[in-house]
Amino acid sequence: MSVLFLRTLRDDPADADVASHRLLVRAGYVRRAAPGIFSWLPLGWMVLRNVERIVREEMNRAGFQEVHFPALLPREPYEATGRWTEYGDNLFRLQDRRGADYLLGPTHEEMFTLLVKDICTSYKDLPLSIYQIQTKYRDEARPRAGLLRGREFVMKDSYSFDLDRAGLQASYDAHRAAYVRTFDRLGLPYVIVAATSGAMGGSASEEFLAPLDAGEDTFAFCAGCGYAANTEAVHTAVPAVPAVPAAAQALAGETPAARVEDTPGTPTIQTLVDELNRRPDLRRPDRPWTAADTLKNVLVMLVHPDGTTEPLAVGLPGDRDLDVKRLEATITPAVVAAFGEAEFAARPQLVKGYIGPRSLGKARGVRYLVDPRVVEGTSWVTGADAPGRHVIGLVAGRDFRADGTIDVAEVRAGDPCPQCGAGLELRRGIEIGHIFQLGSKYAEALGLAVAGPGGQPVVVTMGSYGIGVSRAVAAIAESTLDDRGLCWPREIAPADVHLVAASKDKSVVEYADRLALDLSQANIRVLYDDRSDASAGVKFKDAELIGVPTVVVIGKGLADGVVEVRDRASGTTDLVPVGEVTAHLVELCRADPDAAD
RNA sequence: CGGGGAGUAGCGCAGCGGAAGCGCACCUGCUUUGGGUGCAGGAGGUCGGGGGUUCAAAUCCCCCCUCCCCGACCA
């Protein structure tokens, strides 16, 4: 360490909030070069390469072949699939000296598809799975938490090519299994959740989330049946109409007709519910009104990739907020913009605060989609499209009809599980992997077809599979660190053994020098703190901060013929006779379950 | 892009009209020698940028830039 390119910091950097980010900077693994862009120092680079190596080994073991594409890409393929525009501002674009457009690759579906088109001509060339480990570029609106969300990051991306859906399913399953092995080996806790496919297109997709609070995703899971889904992908459980007698009665016209009431000064759900419960003439006989009895209609403006806009009204139970993330996941590639004052002014039939279903709908120029809970036969209090007026007992299917349903209300802890009905729990997670069944979107756009058994062309069916490699480094750090510093699993760590010469005593230094050499020759990776100008205390603190799994201390015990072998994670110390140290450490490093292979 | 906070030495911070400072880190010497030793000396700054007010601006005013946090986007 006396010559290692490293400087540890005693204070936390002020711009780092997430623990893994703080410690990776403090322990000298990475430094910020620009927003969301990091330089890797020797220790960090070793860790990143270790993670890469594990990912690579597991991909190869699964029979996938490694290739490598450029990061600097021409515009045309991305134009052909529409992603030049769909990716929007997230794409780093640049021009060459002649003014031709280029981009820095955010992901490589197009390039892989074109390469396979170039090489594969027959069904006999399939199935095929190829991958790369590559630096990706996305001009994120908000880089965050150091390595967790950068604008430049390392990703392993795989792509599968099959003749039909069954083949795709098999390739998908093979990747899923390889991911399970990879993340197990990386020592990362993870949950596999149902996901939406976003800008990637395609159908089925699942995410691997490391359940850590530093993550940006929220997922719902059911302890009862094992259901797990990103909140974006949760399907709201809906009772069937015939199962609810009151709903059937309402549809049959056996309940009172809807009536419009003056409810002055009730532009919000809360003021409305208070008014309903305050006024004797409006009270429910059986129980007080709640926000869940009201139907609120939220207006948004959809902006399509081509720039055109479309108004959309979403009808939700009044106790739920619209989850914009879920909405955007549903309507992608369009994005959501606010429905501003100007939009209201242009549509006088929409009375802010009192909008009801009867002013909405395709026929009136505003597409109207309702929450799945608004099933036919349910009765609602909702706006009467006049200032200070609401309608009570408006029955879906009898008094109004929406253009369809849309499942974009916020998901809450305790909501019924769509599989078994038990209460869902919510948790945050870091997305470390994502697998997609793409289908034929890219193959069709780029003309990838091979000759089938009968000689006729068959459009290839694709899947794409990503692992955030640099993100995984941060996730592993996040899941293993403690209040003293980083704490790597052995296979990820920059070294097996952190050797500390805890004294300047000549015999100590000489012994430590020789042990460092012995261990290296025994194929143990050693980080040797041979600094002569650092006190023992400083070295101990740095060892804990850096987080190598085993710390070996040569010091005052040497006079009694022993050295200390400390386990970084547990803090326990063994005294080992000097003659047995090398054998002991070889044993320790081999025995570690992480160090298999 | 909305809402909040912050830009002063490598890192952490104080100063908020009147000579740019403190702690850590760094360099030199001594000291200490198993839990971030102590002492002395030293080096290191366009005070984020531009404009303005003033005899005088890190400090007051205007514009811009950047960073962090919470939301909207993703591996």
Side-chain angles (χ1 to χ4, degrees):
Chain A
M1 279 177 71
S2 56
V3 293
L4 184 62
F5 183 54
L6 170 75
R7 170 124 295 135
T8 57
L9 302 175
R10 194 176 293 203
D11 294 313
D12 284 329
D15 59 358
D17 191 52
V18 172
S20 59
H21 183 199
R22 258 195 328 256
L23 290 175
L24 286 167
V25 173
R26 257 188 74 190
Y29 281 68
V30 299
R31 280 292 166 95
R32 194 187 76 102
I37 302 176
F38 286 83
S39 307
W40 297 81
L41 279 59
L43 294 178
W45 187 239
M46 286 189 259
V47 166
L48 178 67
R49 282 186 324 199
N50 286 341
V51 172
E52 269 185 31
R53 177 178 46 76
I54 291 170
V55 170
R56 179 174 284 119
E57 284 173 5
E58 291 304 330
M59 294 302 114
N60 292 344
R61 187 212 295 254
F64 313 148
Q65 300 172 57
E66 184 170 9
V67 297
H68 199 77
F69 281 87
L72 180 61
L73 303 171
R75 168 179 176 164
E76 289 72 20
Y78 286 77
E79 190 71 65
T81 55
R83 292 212 291 185
W84 178 261
T85 46
E86 271 178 31
Y87 246 102
D89 290 336
N90 272 10
L91 207 55
F92 274 107
R93 302 155 206 266
L94 61 166
Q95 295 188 327
D96 70 8
R97 64 174 71 200
R98 284 191 292 273
D101 286 319
Y102 287 82
L103 64 127
L104 294 176
T107 171
H108 281 71
E109 278 78 5
E110 285 81 355
M111 302 309 293
F112 272 81
T113 305
L114 287 171
L115 187 66
V116 170
K117 180 184 178 185
D118 206 19
I119 294 195
C120 297
T121 50
S122 155
Y123 74 96
K124 293 178 185 168
D125 296 324
L126 305 184
L128 172 70
S129 284
I130 47 183
Y131 76 96
Q132 65 172 344
I133 294 176
Q134 236 259 4
T135 306
K136 308 289 188 190
Y137 298 87
R138 292 183 195 174
D139 192 1
E140 297 286 348
R142 185 156 84 86
R144 215 195 123 255
L147 262 24
L148 279 181
R149 175 179 209 70
R151 297 197 297 168
E152 177 183 289
F153 58 96
V154 179
M155 179 161 108
K156 187 287 304 176
D157 48 328
S158 313
Y159 304 85
S160 68
F161 301 86
D162 284 281
L163 216 53
D164 52 31
R165 281 220 72 83
L168 170 59
Q169 188 64 47
S171 294
Y172 183 88
D173 292 343
H175 275 90
R176 198 176 191 276
Y179 274 36
V180 165
R181 266 207 306 273
T182 304
F183 292 124
D184 282 346
R185 216 176 132 191
L186 288 174
L188 268 173
Y190 61 89
V191 179
I192 303 174
V193 308
T196 55
S197 47
M200 220 59 84
S203 50
S205 99
E206 290 171 293
E207 286 171 334
F208 288 70
L209 297 183
L212 297 164
D213 291 336
E216 302 174 274
D217 285 85
T218 305
F219 66 98
F221 65 101
C222 173
C225 71
Y227 172 85
N230 193 303
T231 51
E232 293 172 19
V234 168
H235 291 291
T236 301
V238 179
V241 180
V244 184
Q249 286 170 15
L251 283 176
E254 293 166 15
T255 55
R259 65 185 207 273
V260 173
E261 296 285 351
D262 279 313
T263 53
T266 57
T268 66
I269 297 294
Q270 191 55 51
T271 53
L272 172 61
V273 171
D274 290 347
E275 178 76 357
L276 291 173
N277 285 323
R278 191 185 61 78
R279 296 231 319 249
D281 58 320
L282 300 180
R283 275 191 203 138
R284 281 181 74 110
D286 50 346
R287 60 171 173 83
W289 292 101
T290 70
D293 297 315
T294 69
L295 176 65
K296 75 175 165 192
N297 297 297
V298 179
L299 287 156
V300 295
M301 194 55 93
L302 303 186
V303 182
H304 295 286
D306 62 6
T308 60
T309 60
E310 177 197 354
L312 173 69
V314 179
L316 303 163
D319 61 329
R320 301 256 168 187
D321 283 328
L322 177 73
D323 183 334
V324 182
K325 209 165 171 172
R326 297 189 77 199
L327 176 59
E328 294 213 322
T330 305
I331 50 100
T332 188
V335 296
V336 178
F339 198 86
E341 295 298 333
E343 319 291 354
F344 277 105
R347 295 173 184 79
Q349 85 269 21
L350 302 177
V351 183
K352 218 175 163 179
Y354 302 92
I355 298 166
R358 295 196 257 206
S359 63
L360 303 170
K362 266 209 161 110
R364 277 143 301 230
V366 181
R367 189 148 64 107
Y368 183 44
L369 302 174
V370 294
D371 186 86
R373 276 164 283 243
V374 187
V375 291
E376 298 209 340
T378 50
S379 175
W380 302 91
V381 178
T382 188
D385 302 304
R389 289 170 75 80
H390 279 93
V391 55
I392 297 176
L394 197 74
V395 174
R398 183 189 72 181
D399 302 324
F400 72 95
R401 210 168 274 282
D403 297 319
T405 62
I406 188 165
D407 201 356
V408 294
E410 55 167 341
V411 175
R412 291 201 296 239
D415 283 352
C417 168
Q419 276 181 18
C420 73
L424 291 173
E425 295 174 56
L426 296 183
R427 188 120 169 51
R428 301 270 279 180
I430 299 172
E431 184 183 356
I432 47 178
H434 200 157
I435 53 180
F436 296 91
Q437 295 191 14
L438 289 177
S440 57
K441 169 178 171 173
Y442 295 92
E444 265 165 23
L446 298 166
L448 170 60
V450 296
Q456 75 288 13
V458 178
V459 174
V460 171
T461 296
M462 293 172 53
S464 93
Y465 316 89
I467 289 178
V469 175
S470 47
R471 177 180 281 181
V473 170
I476 294 166
E478 191 72 31
S479 73
T480 53
L481 60 84
D482 60 25
D483 54 2
R484 291 172 298 163
L486 298 166
C487 188
W488 300 105
R490 185 170 301 283
E491 218 184 343
I492 310 298
D496 289 305
V497 169
H498 189 130
L499 181 59
V500 173
S503 154
K504 278 172 205 148
D505 185 86
K506 200 170 173 210
S507 62
V508 166
V509 173
E510 278 173 4
Y511 177 76
D513 282 350
R514 215 186 62 233
L515 183 58
L517 208 65
D518 285 353
L519 292 174
S520 298
Q521 281 166 355
N523 262 334
I524 290 177
R525 299 167 300 149
V526 182
L527 179 62
Y528 176 27
D529 194 344
D530 62 340
R531 291 176 294 178
S532 58
D533 56 350
S535 70
V538 169
K539 291 183 180 183
F540 293 153
K541 290 288 185 196
D542 273 347
E544 283 156 358
L545 180 61
I546 288 168
V548 170
T550 304
V551 180
V552 174
V553 181
I554 315 300
K556 59 187 181 190
L558 191 64
D560 305 324
V562 294
V563 304
E564 294 161 51
V565 177
R566 297 184 187 173
D567 184 67
R568 167 65 184 84
S570 66
T572 58
T573 299
D574 290 332
L575 295 179
V576 179
V578 289
E580 300 166 20
V581 173
T582 303
H584 178 86
L585 290 171
V586 167
E587 181 69 17
L588 190 66
C589 298
R590 298 274 149 75
D592 205 306
D594 292 330
D597 301 79

